[in-house]
Amino acid sequence: MRDTGRSASERPAGVIAGFGFRTGASVQSFEDALAQAAQGREVTAIAAQSDKAAKPAFADFIRATGLPLYRVTQEQAQRMDTVTHSPASQAARQTGSVAEAVALAAAGRGARLSGGRVISQDRKATCALAVVEASETCAPDKTIPDKKTSNAFNQGETS
């Protein structure tokens, strides 16, 4: 696994796939959710909440992708404004969508969601993509943006 212990304060470039998942999610759950979300786009990094990143099936998935993993704390995820608002996610993690929140938190200031989260066919994993423009990645940003500035998607700039 190429998990280098990166935190959300170290900003990746490109397209970051954020994941949320239930206990019992399998490698196939993650692969399915990623394929649906990416729709052929190249993903450059993966993000998940810190406490879930080491789960065996997720670790196997990360190892198989060969992509870097960004760990996002619950506090960082809670600061993100998500497009999707799942009651289960809100109750468990105090965010509307874990996948959207961790993707945005890992991507950093200026990132935007490419859309809402998608759900794997077995309903055990979700994935959302955050896009980081090249001009936004020149210098690491040590702060996590607040809900009002977290992404252009919520401001009507969709792709």
Side-chain angles (χ1 to χ4, degrees):
M1 171 174 16
R2 286 185 50 198
D3 177 3
T4 58
R6 296 175 182 186
S7 70
S9 64
E10 303 172 61
R11 304 289 180 231
V15 178
I16 293 73
F19 283 88
F21 54 96
R22 296 178 180 188
T23 301
S26 66
V27 171
Q28 291 77 23
S29 305
F30 303 121
E31 290 172 344
D32 177 46
L34 179 60
Q36 287 185 61
Q39 297 180 349
R41 286 177 283 209
E42 181 182 354
V43 172
T44 56
I46 304 285
Q49 282 199 311
S50 300
D51 65 323
K52 299 274 253 178
K55 299 290 183 189
F58 193 68
D60 289 345
F61 168 71
I62 295 298
R63 224 180 340 270
T65 68
L67 294 172
L69 170 64
Y70 287 81
R71 296 170 183 259
V72 176
T73 67
Q74 180 145 343
E75 293 78 21
Q76 290 168 324
Q78 289 171 343
R79 292 185 203 143
M80 300 296 109
D81 190 18
T82 62
V83 175
T84 305
H85 298 284
S86 159
S89 181
Q90 190 66 50
R93 297 291 179 155
Q94 294 74 53
T95 184
S97 166
V98 172
E100 293 172 17
V102 299
L104 286 169
R109 188 178 311 276
R112 61 179 172 77
L113 290 172
S114 67
R117 65 166 166 74
V118 298
I119 304 170
S120 64
Q121 289 187 17
D122 66 6
R123 305 201 55 80
K124 293 183 180 178
T126 60
C127 181
L129 302 182
V131 179
V132 181
E133 302 300 330
S135 63
E136 297 294 336
T137 61
C138 296
D141 177 4
K142 300 291 183 194
T143 61
I144 301 296
D146 64 21
K147 290 183 178 185
K148 293 178 185 155
T149 61
S150 64
N151 67 71
F153 186 86
N154 291 332
Q155 298 166 6
E157 298 174 23
T158 59
S159 60

